[in-house]
Amino acid sequence: MTQEKPNILYLGSEPTPGMINRLQHAVNVHHIPDPSQNTHQLENIAASIKGLVTSASVGVSNDLLHQLPKLEIISSFGVGLDALDLDYLKAQGIHLGYTPNVLNDCVADLTLGLILDITRRISQSDRYVREGKWAAAAAPLRTQSSKKRLGLYGMGRIGQEIAQRASAFKMPIAYHTRTPNSSLPYLHLDSLEKLAGWSDILVVIVPATSSTRQSINRHILKTLGENGYLINIARGSVINEADLLNALEQGILAGAGLDVFHNEPNIDPRFYELENVVLSPHAGSATHETRQAMGDLTVNNLLNYFQSGSLIASYFES
Ligand code: NAP
Ligand code: 8YV
């Protein structure tokens, strides 16, 4: 007797081509990019859904979760889990797969790119040349990137990769986390304020949680100071964005390199007017190689669960 394939709900678009195709061999995929726009299709299948595939940016609303009484597993494309109600999932015993580590290198590479760009103003210089200004006057001098003090707010999987790369640029490194990691050769500071005071460049690479929400505020930015640079590669919600915009406009801060924003992709247009920011469209993991690895792990987490009861990368069981 052949066993019936489990029903899976697939939200959002397909971030890596071929994911749905691979899943279809072992499970029945119901691809509903936005269930709030397609309530009729969802009503017909909700009671039978055992697995769900989503991404860090799409997440799953609580309203949808409450409509899925048989849900056993969510497999999420990405490492940030802030678009999911983790307490609810844990209480319901719903397994959660995600894609840690496979994206560390590319996110760390882009972080160094943002640091080099905002200090040496690479994007701004590119505009200067394209706009034909070079022949009229030499471009202004920029700020040295190497040897600057690099503060990392967060020193987990990605933070450690950033620190390794920054060491090659001869940057002294300090970090702030709630728990010091004694295996690391870097200075641990026991508050974000102390880290901001110590740093020339402050990199945000903590998860978006209630304890980090809006923790980068006017006071922290003032402490980082008028020669300081902020790099945010984590999540927009970790920063009080009104405070950041004011600080950039008023010269309280030298500059910022930003990959993530409030209300992305419809970001505050005040950013467009500023020359002292480099803007990146949430592209930390956005390379062919890393997105392929993330897609494979997302698919394999789900398939492994239905084949053997265990996930390859499980958030609650790690
Ligand atoms: P991770 O390995 O879990 O590391 C998180 C780090 O943050 C740990 O060092 C942790 O240390 C620290 N931390 C957590 N809460 C803190 C708090 N309240 N105060 C101070 N430190 C705190 O995570 P990861 O894999 O490095 O990823 C970090 C985040 O990057 C993700 O959650 C995601 O939002 C973001 N991300 C963005 C992109 C992008 O494309 N831009 C791509 C991937 C990930 P303690 O627990 O000891 O405090
Ligand atoms: C995702 C990310 O690619 O992993 C994360 O947390 O932010 C990115 O790597 C993006 O959010 C797609 O959902």
Side-chain angles (χ1 to χ4, degrees), residues 93-96 305 309-311 313-318:
I94 295 169
H95 298 273
L96 177 57
Y305 174 76
S310 66
L311 290 76
S314 164
Y315 179 71
F316 293 125
E317 283 109 43
S318 62

Side-chain angles (χ1 to χ4, degrees), residues 15 54-59 76-82 99-100 103 107 158 233-235 259-260 264 282-286 290-291 294:
T54 186
S55 67
S57 50
V58 171
S76 184
F77 178 95
V79 72
L81 300 170
D82 43 293
T99 67
L103 42 61
V107 181
I158 300 171
I233 193 85
R235 284 291 184 269
D259 186 47
V260 286
E264 57 186 53
H282 198 149
S285 66
T290 285
R291 287 288 169 86
M294 291 166 70

Side-chain angles (χ1 to χ4, degrees), residues 216-291:
I216 303 282
N217 53 25
R218 184 174 170 84
H219 174 66
I220 295 296
L221 297 171
K222 277 192 90 163
T223 308
L224 183 55
E226 61 187 0
N227 296 318
Y229 293 88
L230 180 80
I231 307 294
N232 187 9
I233 193 85
R235 284 291 184 269
S237 63
V238 179
I239 304 219
N240 182 318
E241 207 167 83
D243 287 356
L244 175 62
L245 278 160
N246 290 338
L248 289 165
E249 286 168 355
Q250 294 163 15
I252 290 168
L253 198 63
L258 306 171
D259 186 47
V260 286
F261 303 84
H262 282 266
N263 200 31
E264 57 186 53
N266 302 305
I267 72 169
D268 193 317
R270 278 165 74 192
F271 281 115
Y272 304 147
E273 305 303 318
L274 292 167
E275 280 291 7
N276 56 352
V277 288
V278 176
L279 307 173
S280 169
H282 198 149
S285 66
T287 63
H288 298 293
E289 297 86 344
T290 285
R291 287 288 169 86

Side-chain angles (χ1 to χ4, degrees), residues 56 78-82 98-101 103-104 107 110 153-160 175-181 188 192 204-213 215 232-235 238 259-260 282-286 291 294 315:
V79 72
L81 300 170
D82 43 293
Y98 68 146
T99 67
N101 296 317
L103 42 61
N104 295 352
V107 181
L110 187 71
Y153 177 29
M155 186 53 99
R157 294 171 294 247
I158 300 171
Q160 290 175 43
Y175 69 104
H176 168 63
T177 52
R178 292 164 301 183
T179 315
N181 183 340
H188 180 262
L192 174 57
V204 180
I205 186 63
V206 284
T209 62
S210 54
S211 69
T212 60
R213 189 176 168 71
S215 51
N232 187 9
I233 193 85
R235 284 291 184 269
V238 179
D259 186 47
V260 286
H282 198 149
S285 66
R291 287 288 169 86
M294 291 166 70
Y315 179 71

Side-chain angles (χ1 to χ4, degrees), residues 3 16 38 40 113 129-130 138 160 166 174 177 179 184 248 298 315:
Q3 228 185 334
T16 306
N38 205 333
H40 184 64
V129 174
R130 284 172 198 273
Q160 290 175 43
T177 52
T179 315
L184 296 175
L248 289 165
T298 306
Y315 179 71

Side-chain angles (χ1 to χ4, degrees), residues 39 42-43 46-47 61-70 88:
T39 46
L42 181 66
E43 271 165 24
S61 70
N62 278 7
D63 182 44
L64 175 58
L65 282 177
H66 294 154
Q67 297 177 57
L68 308 175
K70 291 210 177 113
Y88 178 84

